[in-house]
Structure formats: structure tokens, C-alpha cells
């Protein structure tokens, strides 16, 4: 039986082990992908640490997957072997529940299909996917370039394009890490006056290179006050994972403005008085589904947005994962399958 390399988590809280497994066969209605690259996302800790109810172990993490369709199971229409595809966090949906029939595929009620969480993901030479989870990957992007766009890219791009901000309005991006360095690029390319908010003056040059119109150093300046001096932010894209950093900018939302939350903080303190007097909102944003990923990739090609990546071969997965958790990576970490 032909075998492949896979990186599995044996149990919640367990290590990342490189193992040999039989190459999986795509059952009816499924496709097999030969994986070329897979990003390492902070949310992979959900699988590694068992933070999602009902994960079955051993489990292969990875939801920033790019490769080619390798084999198509019975009954799959619209996809053929050889096509370049990507898979993100959304691993599919039923298409017939009430949420799906209202177009809210991300909130499918029948099952949660989360790549690398409820099924094996992309830290492997091959993976099985549901066809509705596939995005087409343009030839202009290498696998390693496209991989981080399947989660960090779609999350920031899709959030910004649905944020209600219009061209020329102020959009602030809080945090200049894996999400934020993409968020600044997308916001600038979409025509917003993009304000990057980071910690330390040394990040200003980077922010400007990425397209920021202004930079606010939250260590030496009050970011909310600085935003108000500029007129207030129509949208604040909160990418950080520290609640106090989010709360510190909330005072800078413009009248009728919105703070969009994509950083997963457990709780956030916010002033209802400020919000009702200035008619503001706070909104969470789910990354998106496969067509949103495809739009993200197409816009990235069109506008020249690229993720800055540190690339590791699959064998060095433990080093790569530690690099991601250290918060020191500039800015996304990607595993490459082929040697
Ligand atoms: Zn992710
Ligand atoms: Zn559904």
C-alpha cells in the first residue's frame, strides 16, 4: 500500500509527530489533494491543544492548504485531477439546512466541517476534501505564496470588503503581525486611508511599505485619541489577540463606525455609553467560504498583495510550529511538502 508523510497530533495537548500513513482514498463525493504547501496558523492550536469539542485523535492539523486535485471520488462534478486548489478553515457545508439555504454557508447547521479539526488537514503529502471547500488557485501565485491567503488572507480581505467602509474613509488596522500585515495591504489597495497601529516606533517603516497612510505607535501614543484627531475610524480591524490592545483603540471609532473583530480574545470591555451616543457597532467576522478564498487570491494577484512568509520543509514542522507560537515569525509560517 502506498504511504505518505503526515504530521499528526496523537491526543489533545500531545506533540506533533511525523508518521507514515497509507495515502487516503477519496470516498464518494470527495476529492484527494496532493498538498504542495500548508500554512501554520495560530488556530492550529485548536487541534493541538484540544480546544474544540469532540475532536477525534489522531488528527492532522492544517487549514491553509494549497495543492492539486489528485483524484476525484464518485459523483463529484466540476473538478478534475490536475487543477490547482486551496482549502481554508471552512471545510464545507450541507447546502440544504436553513442557514445554507439563506446563503449563510459558514453557519451550516447540520455539521461543522473545519479543516484540520473535524477532518485531517494539510500537514501531510495528501488530504481528502469536500468539493464545496475548494478554491481555484491562480497560476500567478506559488503554493507557498497562496497558502497563508487561505486563512490569514481571506479573513482580513473578506472582513474589510464587508465592513461597510467606503473608498477614501479611514480604516485602522490594529496589530502588525500575520493578520495585520495583510490587513494593511488589503485596506490600502481597497482605497481606504489606512492607519496601522502597532507597538513600537520601529514598525513604522514596515507599515508605510505595506501601504499605510499613517502609523500610530500604541506604546508612546494614545491610539484612540490619535484616531479621533484624524476624524475617527469608520472601521477598525482588530487583529490582535490581547483584549486590552483592542479596548485601547475602541474610543477612536468614528460616528456610525464599526470595530470588526477577527482576533479571538475571550472577553472584551467596551463602553455602551460611547457606543450609543455615537451609534457605533462591534461585529465579529467569520473568515469565509471557498468562493471568498478564491476572490482573495484573485484580488491579491490583481493588486500585488503578498504574505511575507518563513518557509520550512515538512520535516521541520516542530521548529516551524514553535516559530509561529513564539510570535516572532515575520509574518506567516508555511510548510512545503516537496523537498
Ligand atoms: Zn487560520
Ligand atoms: Zn447547511
Amino acid at each position: 500500500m502506498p504511504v505518505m508523510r503526515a504530521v499528526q497530533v496523537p491526543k489533545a495537548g500531545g506533540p506533533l509527530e511525523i508518521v507514515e500513513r497509507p495515502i487516503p482514498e477519496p470516498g464518494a463525493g470527495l476529492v484527494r489533494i496532493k498538498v504542495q504547501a500548508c500554512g501554520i496558523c495560530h488556530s492550529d492550536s485548536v487541534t493541538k491543544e484540544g480546544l474544540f469539542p469532540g475532536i477525534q485523535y489522531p488528527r492532522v492539523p492544517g487549514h491553509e492548504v494549497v495543492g492539486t486535485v489528485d483524484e476525484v471520488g464518485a459523483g463529484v462534478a466540476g473538478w478534475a485531477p490536475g487543477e490547482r486548489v486551496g482549502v481554508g478553515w471552512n471545510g464545507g457545508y450541507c447546502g440544504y439546512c436553513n442557514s445554507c439555504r439563506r446563503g449563510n454557508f459558514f453557519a451550516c447547521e447540520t455539521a461543522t466541517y473545519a479543516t484540520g479539526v473535524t477532518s485531517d488537514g494539510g500537514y501531510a503529502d495528501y488530504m481528502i476534501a469536500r468539493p464545496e471547500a475548494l478554491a481555484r488557485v491562480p497560476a500567478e501565485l506559488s503554493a507557498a505564496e497562496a497558502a497563508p491567503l487561505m486563512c490569514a488572507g481571506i479573513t482580513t480581505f473578506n472582513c474589510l470588503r464587508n465592513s461597510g467602509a467606503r473608498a477614501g474613509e479611514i480604516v485602522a488596522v490594529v496589530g502588525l503581525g500575520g493578520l495585520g500585515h495583510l490587513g494593511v495591504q488589503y485596506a490600502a489597495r481597497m482605497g481606504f486611508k489606512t492607519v496601522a497601529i502597532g507597538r513600537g516606533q520601529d514598525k513604522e517603516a514596515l507599515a508605510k511599505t505595506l501601504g499605510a497612510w499613517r502609523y500610530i505607535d500604541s506604546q508612546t501614543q494614545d491610539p484612540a485619541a490619535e484616531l479621533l484627531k484624524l476624524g475617527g475610524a469608520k472601521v477598525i480591524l482588530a487583529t490582535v489577540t490581547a483584549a486590552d490592545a483592542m479596548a485601547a483603540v475602541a474610543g477612536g471609532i468614528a460616528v456610525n463606525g464599526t470595530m470588526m473583530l477577527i482576533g479571538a480574545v475571550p472577553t472584551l470591555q467596551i463602553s455602551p455609553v460611547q457606543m450609543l451616543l455615537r451609534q457605533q457597532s462591534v461585529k465579529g467576522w467569520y473568515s469565509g467560504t471557498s468562493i471568498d478564498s478564491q476572490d482573495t487570491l484573485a484580488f491579491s494577484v490583481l493588486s500585488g498583495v503578498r504574505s511575507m512568509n518563513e518557509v520550512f520543509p515538512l520535516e521541520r514542522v516542530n521548529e516551524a510550529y514553535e516559530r509561529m507560537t513564539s510570535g516572532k515569525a515575520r509574518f506567516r509560517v508555511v510548510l512545503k511538502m516537496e523537498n
Side-chain angles (χ1 to χ4, degrees), residues 92-101 104-111 113:
Y93 42 85
C94 76
Y96 57 81
C97 74
N98 286 347
S99 268
C100 284
R101 289 160 62 213
N104 297 316
F105 300 109
F106 71 91
C108 179
E109 294 163 15
T110 60
Y113 298 106

Side-chain angles (χ1 to χ4, degrees), residues 64 119 122 255 263 289:
E64 291 186 340
S119 62
V255 171
T289 55

Side-chain angles (χ1 to χ4, degrees), residues 41-44 63-64 89 151-152 155 332:
C41 178
H42 194 268
S43 301
D44 294 339
H63 59 269
E64 291 186 340
W89 173 267
C151 181
T155 302
R332 297 295 285 188

Side-chain angles (χ1 to χ4, degrees), residues 156-157 160-161 165-173 176 180-196 206-214 237 299 303-305:
T156 48
F157 170 79
L160 284 167
R161 71 171 175 169
R166 295 180 299 176
E169 291 184 321
I170 293 182
V171 169
V173 178
L176 273 174
H181 92 290
L182 286 164
V184 169
Q185 293 181 67
Y186 286 126
R189 303 306 196 284
M190 287 177 189
F192 305 134
K193 281 181 169 169
T194 304
V195 180
L206 167 78
K208 295 280 173 71
T209 306
L210 297 172
W213 168 67
R214 292 282 189 277
L237 181 70
F299 185 84
S303 63
V305 172

